[in-house]
Amino acid sequence: MFQMLGRGEKAGSGYDKIRLGWKSQQWLPPDIEEKVQPDRIRLVLPMVSLFPEESILKLRRRFGDRWDVLSVDEVQALVIADVEGRVANARLRLRSEQHPADLSRMLQQLVV
């Protein structure tokens, strides 16, 4: 079972593929819940978008063709700014695998 979840010795199986699939769809990441009594492992697969459709439409209209060349992290930053009114490096680190310095550079480039 752990091999199927990508948590066992067999590298690249199960869970990693699911995680990448969820990331490509821009859904909230899957979560593994472990219970001790009784021993159970539960894989939660939320099919909830990280990007509200109304924000995407609004930003797409605003940025036009430039929208299509933005990276996933840049889109995340702009959506967070639209939804929450601001965006910070610390907030992006919760959703990105990039180094904090790279996120800072990205945010600076988006400002200009």
Side-chain angles (χ1 to χ4, degrees):
M1 183 164 169
F2 287 108
Q3 286 182 341
M4 291 173 55
L5 294 173
R7 297 291 179 152
E9 291 181 4
K10 185 178 177 185
S13 64
Y15 182 73
D16 288 334
K17 291 178 184 175
I18 292 170
R19 193 174 46 82
L20 290 173
W22 251 243
K23 187 174 183 177
S24 74
Q25 293 299 312
Q26 300 170 345
W27 290 336
L28 288 174
D31 188 33
I32 295 178
E33 297 175 356
E34 296 180 55
K35 306 229 180 207
V36 179
Q37 293 181 346
D39 290 337
R40 302 207 186 226
I41 295 176
R42 181 177 168 200
L43 178 61
V44 179
L45 301 170
M47 295 174 69
V48 177
S49 177
L50 292 170
F51 308 125
E53 190 173 327
E54 50 285 347
S55 284
I56 296 293
L57 292 173
K58 177 180 168 183
L59 292 166
R60 192 177 289 276
R61 278 193 302 270
R62 182 172 183 174
F63 288 95
D65 292 336
R66 292 181 294 168
W67 179 260
D68 297 325
V69 297
L70 295 174
S71 71
V72 172
D73 286 323
E74 289 170 326
V75 169
Q76 275 186 340
L78 291 170
V79 169
I80 290 170
D82 180 56
V83 171
E84 299 177 7
R86 66 188 188 107
V87 65
N89 187 304
R91 179 74 169 96
L92 283 176
R93 277 184 274 160
L94 297 173
R95 295 198 178 162
S96 176
E97 296 174 8
Q98 285 196 48
H99 189 276
D102 295 330
L103 291 173
S104 291
R105 276 192 290 281
M106 179 197 69
L107 287 171
Q108 289 170 351
Q109 290 172 352
L110 287 174
V111 170
V112 285

